[in-house]
Amino acid sequence: MQKSIILFTFFISAICCNISSFAQGGMWLPSELDKNQKDMRTKGMRISTKEIYDEQNASIKDAVVLFGRGCTGEFVSEKGLLFTNHHCGYGEIVKHSTVEHDYLTNGFAAKTLEEELPCPGLTVTLLQYMKDVTDEVLKGVTSSITEKERKSKINENIKNIVDNATKGTNLSGYVKALYYGNQYMLYVNKIYKDVRLVAAPPSNIGKFGGDTDNWMWPRHTGDFSVFRVYVDENNEPAEYNKNNKPYKPKKYLKISLKDKQEGDFTFVMGYPGTTQQFLTSYAVEDIQNLEDPARIKLRTERLNVYKDAQEESAAKRLRYASEVASIANGWKKWQGEVKGLKFLNAIQKKQQQEVNNPLMPQFKRLYDENRKYKMEQLYIGEAVLSSDFMLHTRRLLSLIDLSWNEATTDETLQIEIDKLYNYLSAYYDNDFSSHRKVDSMIFVRTMTIFYNDFAKDNYTFLRTKIKQTSVEDYFANIYQSSILNNPNKIKKLLKDYKRTNYKKLFKDSAIELLSPILGQYINSTQEQLAQNNSKLDSLYRINTKNYLDDYNRNKQSQDVSMNNGIFPDANLTLRVTYGNIAPFKPRNGVTYRHYTTIAGIMEKEDPNIYDYVVEKKLKDIYYNNDMAPYGDRVAFIATNHTTGGNSGSPVMDADGNLIGLNFDRNWEGTMSDILYDKDLCRNITLDVRYCLLIIDKYLEANNLIEELELVK
Ligand code: ARG
Ligand code: GLU
């Protein structure tokens, strides 16, 4: 009796309420934003959604770009001036930094256009329009064809659609699947290739708090950098040319200097990378209990090795800074994600929605079957290929392959040998004698975890070999005896390399280890993964369609205008998210205020800890109260649903004016990629006034302030 009541409740919730758990947060398609208009107005927006996305007239979408390959930026002047995050421009700032001009440490600001620094390879992508092409993509796709035929038909249709939209123009395009292939969108872009670095704060402002503060609130990081887009005389994209002119955007954002209060409406337009809100409980269980923990464990090992090395000297701290930053970013996010999923009881919530779903046994079977392959893939990336030693071994393996293959011409082979020789010579001549210890430890420690946690049960050849010695000694020996541990020998071998040398290489200890591991992975696991993932994808397509149908059926009985509905997962295409400035309670008894000020920078100051050094110049600005008209705010939080890729996104107010640059999320809310919670999830925004304060008073680049349009 008890049981049937519980089941009955589940049943009801599965039918009518499973949608509502997705309906919090939201990354909306700009072209379909009309359906959110009423909700946005209710939350405080004063402009219309047409001012955000319009194909005929200039709208905010003309001011928002994909910066590089994974960040967002926005135009802020009629001369193509672009704001993004410091961590998004980091690579370019580093490339332009030398001992004499250390822009990374000291900051940089061009006082004239001539002083702006070209960034070859950096692109800025500006959406021209997007269009629902579902019917065209699915033309000829019937229920009687196989999944394979379906895929090839869809690919063929997509190719035609993109060709039609871009042929004979300077536009480029792609089609992306939404809802696992229940909807398709065409995106047509212009790609700008002459982008120049204009300004950057010193690292102890742009990266203040470093990895310690990363993913955390309260935050005091001045995470911004400034670029400019250049074009030909027709205002069109062009390769770098010193005679190119600043781009005149159709629309640029005005900047608001007004005070912001708790509850104020904000919205964000940008390029969120990936969310996975439709995952089943099986997938969430794997992430929470297997994948994230394995990743965290492996990265903890690597970070410990780097940290010990960094403590040896300032030079070493710098040497490993960027590796540590990128390893620590995911490492910390996953820890927050696991905590958040557990806190929200995400697995149980999903299970409740899944009661009576007839597809669940199929999902379960596929996840059970796929688990081993997924973990193998994870270990290959996070352990096996995490040391330089194994990455170099993989390059040697390709060389062996080429040498052995009769179809490889001598010329092709020589080109590859030269490349590898130059690359490895530079590597060994750099700092191998001191780096060797770090790299060998990373290799031994990650391989030991790989062996104990996975390989022991899945690679018989390794188990047979590791019998006499300890696991660590086994791997340490491989490192010791490999030719890659002997710079002179490997350089000489490559210098005088003959095709038949591959036989000698083949007997190397590193090759003997990696070859069978990668062999199994490439020849069998990858194929299994591809097959299973394709089956899962089809299943998710059907499952998501059921959700969508369910939602539409129930829509009539709900006040749709107040329910902003369902949104497709983020896929690195332009989206709009909106919410309000709001504090949050990270745990019982604690409330975090919604903004920070420069006083917090002074509180965190510690001249002995690199990440918390504060320059005298900033202290002077603060203590002399030289902050007008910008004030002392540094950052604020709001309920906007964002993810990786949203870095640098404009955060705007109810009138569509720029009030900040999105740069992070709170640690307690990083599970929002899987399950958003309006009480716990916050996006972290750099207050644009702090950015202007630094440009004006610290970098003294009045020339840039004059270009901006400030709203008081
Ligand atoms: N957590 C932010 C993001 O996901 C910022 C990362 C860069 N900053 C750092 N200290 N590693 O990209
Ligand atoms: N820092 C992230 C980025 O580079 C944004 C933070 C997030 O994941 O929300 O895109």
Side-chain angles (χ1 to χ4, degrees):
M1 186 65 196
Q2 190 68 15
K3 198 174 165 194
S4 67
I5 287 178
I6 294 172
L7 271 183
F8 182 70
T9 333
F10 281 175
F11 181 67
I12 298 289
S13 72
I15 291 294
C16 75
C17 305
N18 53 10
I19 301 303
S20 68
S21 63
F22 298 125
Q24 297 184 343
M27 300 176 175
W28 310 99
L29 296 173
S31 56
E32 295 180 6
L33 206 57
D34 286 352
K35 69 174 192 219
N36 300 87
Q37 169 121 283
K38 190 161 177 198
D39 188 46
M40 292 174 92
R41 295 274 184 138
T42 311
K43 290 198 162 76
M45 185 171 74
R46 286 188 288 267
I47 57 173
S48 81
T49 49
K50 251 199 143 20
E51 289 170 74
I52 300 173
Y53 183 89
D54 189 343
E55 275 164 32
Q56 267 70 49
N57 305 295
S59 59
I60 291 172
K61 82 124 188 6
D62 300 306
V64 184
V65 302
L66 176 70
F67 182 85
R69 272 171 297 176
C71 275
T72 306
E74 55 277 358
F75 289 118
V76 289
S77 92
E78 62 174 4
K79 286 195 277 179
L81 203 64
L82 197 70
F83 281 176
T84 187
N85 288 149
H86 184 260
H87 78 262
C88 296
Y90 196 78
E92 304 303 330
I93 304 167
V94 170
K95 273 189 226 158
H96 284 293
S97 294
T98 58
V99 180
E100 299 87 66
H101 301 286
D102 190 350
Y103 301 140
L104 192 62
T105 308
N106 306 320
F108 165 74
K111 302 287 157 66
T112 61
L113 293 182
E114 287 69 40
E115 285 176 24
E116 299 182 355
L117 302 167
C119 302
L122 175 64
T123 58
V124 151
T125 304
L126 181 61
L127 179 71
Q128 305 300 301
Y129 66 91
M130 55 193 281
K131 190 177 159 210
D132 190 315
V133 289
T134 313
D135 292 344
E136 289 153 87
V137 171
L138 296 180
K139 199 173 273 166
V141 175
T142 58
S143 51
S144 59
I145 63 177
T146 64
E147 278 296 312
K148 205 168 157 202
E149 290 165 337
R150 185 176 198 276
K151 259 198 195 124
S152 88
K153 185 79 210 153
I154 286 176
N155 286 340
E156 184 190 321
N157 289 345
I158 287 179
K159 191 178 174 307
N160 289 334
I161 294 167
V162 172
D163 280 353
N164 282 339
T166 58
K167 214 183 244 156
T169 68
N170 65 349
L171 304 169
S172 73
Y174 48 77
V175 168
K176 289 227 181 172
L178 306 174
Y179 300 113
Y180 299 91
N182 283 294
Q183 190 181 1
Y184 287 88
M185 276 281 171
L186 166 69
Y187 294 86
V188 176
N189 297 305
K190 276 189 188 169
I191 300 178
Y192 295 86
K193 293 179 176 160
D194 186 350
V195 185
R196 305 185 195 173
L197 175 63
V198 176
S203 280
N204 54 28
I205 289 176
K207 219 188 152 188
F208 183 77
D211 287 321
T212 317
D213 281 14
N214 192 22
W215 296 113
M216 304 287 248
W217 183 259
R219 193 66 160 275
H220 299 87
T221 313
D223 199 345
F224 77 92
S225 59
V226 186
F227 288 80
R228 192 189 305 278
V229 172
Y230 282 77
V231 287
D232 67 14
E233 62 279 6
N234 301 317
N235 206 33
E236 291 296 329
E239 295 293 335
Y240 169 78
N241 183 322
K242 76 176 182 350
N243 298 324
N244 281 345
K245 311 219 151 16
Y247 170 59
K248 188 171 192 307
K250 262 207 247 173
K251 165 94 188 170
Y252 61 89
L253 302 178
K254 292 181 202 161
I255 298 177
S256 169
L257 295 182
K258 287 184 198 143
D259 264 333
K260 289 152 270 262
Q261 318 290 344
E262 179 178 339
D264 280 358
F265 177 80
T266 67
F267 70 102
V268 182
M269 195 168 201
Y271 280 87
T274 310
T275 58
Q276 299 180 289
Q277 56 178 329
F278 295 107
L279 288 184
T280 59
S281 59
Y282 310 117
V284 179
E285 227 174 313
D286 281 353
I287 291 173
Q288 179 186 302
N289 298 332
L290 292 173
E291 296 168 34
D292 279 359
R295 288 193 184 101
I296 294 163
K297 183 172 175 184
L298 286 162
R299 289 200 177 192
T300 304
E301 266 328 293
R302 284 161 78 191
L303 285 169
N304 285 341
V305 173
Y306 283 126
K307 236 184 268 158
D308 288 346
Q310 283 184 309
E311 267 162 29
E312 285 170 24
S313 69
K316 290 224 166 128
R317 189 185 47 67
L318 268 177
R319 164 69 172 85
Y320 297 117
S322 87
E323 266 111 329
V324 166
S326 78
I327 299 171
N329 198 40
W331 171 79
K332 196 161 177 184
K333 190 209 140 170
W334 295 318
Q335 292 177 59
E337 185 169 85
V338 169
K339 262 179 172 261
L341 289 172
K342 286 185 181 162
F343 186 84
L344 291 181
N345 286 319
I347 298 171
Q348 288 87 332
K349 276 197 184 123
K350 294 268 175 186
Q351 283 168 345
Q352 285 166 17
Q353 293 158 10
E354 290 163 0
V355 172
N356 290 327
N357 181 336
L359 296 176
M360 281 307 130
Q362 287 185 67
F363 270 117
K364 180 166 175 9
R365 210 173 317 122
L366 276 171
Y367 274 107
D368 285 345
E369 207 175 289
N370 217 20
R371 192 163 297 120
K372 188 175 109 185
Y373 306 120
K374 252 194 319 187
M375 292 308 284
E376 186 170 341
Q377 183 180 42
L378 186 155
Y379 280 109
I380 298 277
E382 291 284 333
V384 178
L385 296 178
S386 70
S387 58
D388 294 343
F389 180 54
M390 282 291 107
L391 287 171
H392 296 163
T393 307
R394 186 170 64 173
R395 294 187 73 155
L396 288 184
L397 268 172
S398 314
L399 182 64
I400 294 175
D401 255 359
L402 280 175
S403 316
W404 171 80
N405 189 340
E406 281 166 14
T408 314
T409 63
D410 289 347
E411 208 186 347
T412 315
L413 186 62
Q414 195 55 47
I415 293 174
E416 284 310 307
I417 294 165
D418 291 346
K419 258 201 232 159
L420 193 55
Y421 176 78
N422 291 337
Y423 173 80
L424 286 180
S425 303
Y427 176 80
Y428 286 112
D429 294 348
N430 183 21
D431 64 347
F432 184 66
S433 52
S434 69
H435 175 59
R436 178 193 337 231
K437 199 172 106 197
V438 166
D439 195 51
S440 67
M441 277 207 284
I442 285 179
F443 167 73
V444 172
R445 292 199 194 169
T446 54
M447 289 305 281
T448 301
I449 296 178
F450 164 65
Y451 179 78
N452 287 332
D453 292 3
F454 185 82
K456 195 165 56 184
D457 300 326
N458 295 287
Y459 287 85
T460 31
F461 87 92
L462 265 178
R463 207 176 46 221
T464 356
K465 285 194 169 167
I466 307 183
K467 274 202 172 132
Q468 265 71 34
T469 52
S470 76
V471 185
E472 278 99 339
D473 287 350
Y474 176 76
F475 289 117
N477 258 325
I478 289 179
Y479 198 101
Q480 273 306 319
S481 51
S482 168
I483 189 167
L484 285 168
N485 188 33
N486 191 328
N488 292 334
K489 247 186 169 172
I490 180 75
K491 280 198 273 183
K492 183 163 180 341
L493 179 99
L494 289 174
K495 197 153 196 197
D496 315 326
Y497 192 84
K498 309 245 162 9
R499 204 182 260 263
T500 48
N501 284 152
Y502 80 83
K503 290 181 187 154
K504 207 160 121 199
L505 263 183
F506 211 76
K507 293 200 192 99
D508 186 82
S509 58
I511 298 284
E512 279 185 334
L513 172 72
L514 189 62
S515 170
I517 294 178
L518 280 191
Q520 166 168 326
Y521 180 68
I522 293 166
N523 297 326
S524 139
T525 306
Q526 267 184 344
E527 178 56 28
Q528 292 291 343
L529 269 173
Q531 275 181 24
N532 286 343
N533 286 339
S534 150
K535 284 184 206 160
L536 270 172
D537 215 47
S538 313
L539 211 50
Y540 271 114
R541 186 180 75 236
I542 301 165
N543 199 43
T544 311
K545 178 161 185 347
N546 292 343
Y547 278 132
L548 294 172
D549 289 349
D550 226 23
Y551 172 76
N552 287 327
R553 245 194 321 276
N554 282 292
K555 205 155 74 165
Q556 280 78 18
S557 60
Q558 300 169 14
D559 181 1
V560 191
S561 59
M562 295 304 292
N563 177 347
N564 40 30
I566 307 177
F567 64 96
D569 272 319
N571 59 356
L572 206 65
T573 59
L574 192 62
R575 299 293 175 91
V576 173
T577 172
Y578 55 92
N580 300 83
I581 295 179
F584 77 103
K585 297 184 198 308
R587 54 190 177 275
N588 189 268
V590 180
T591 303
Y592 282 156
R593 192 180 65 185
H594 61 279
Y595 69 91
T596 58
T597 66
I598 299 178
I601 298 177
M602 302 307 156
E603 273 174 22
K604 281 181 180 172
E605 185 196 6
D606 186 338
N608 299 315
I609 301 178
Y610 180 79
D611 288 334
Y612 294 102
V613 172
V614 180
E615 292 299 326
K616 179 171 179 303
K617 194 164 181 181
L618 185 62
K619 286 192 225 173
D620 288 346
I621 293 169
Y622 178 65
Y623 288 115
N624 296 337
N625 203 7
D626 183 19
M627 293 172 289
Y630 312 110
D632 66 350
R633 298 272 176 108
V634 176
F636 63 89
I637 45 174
T639 59
N640 300 298
H641 189 181
T642 52
T643 189
N646 267 125
S647 274
S649 298
V651 179
M652 289 158 281
D653 65 10
D655 301 308
N657 293 325
L658 185 69
I659 56 173
L661 273 56
N662 185 79
F663 73 98
D664 215 356
R665 266 177 292 165
N666 61 328
W667 202 53
E668 298 80 358
T670 46
M671 71 302 193
S672 64
D673 291 345
I674 295 167
L675 193 61
Y676 179 89
D677 182 90
K678 68 174 177 7
D679 295 326
L680 275 179
C681 299
R682 295 290 179 269
N683 70 313
I684 302 181
T685 301
L686 167 68
D687 194 311
V688 73
R689 292 172 297 178
Y690 184 59
C691 166
L692 300 187
L693 176 80
I694 299 301
I695 293 177
D696 188 345
K697 312 272 173 165
Y698 193 103
L699 299 171
E700 298 173 26
N702 203 257
N703 53 315
L704 300 180
I705 300 287
E706 273 168 9
E707 267 188 54
L708 310 170
E709 199 169 326
L710 306 180
V711 184
K712 299 205 170 127

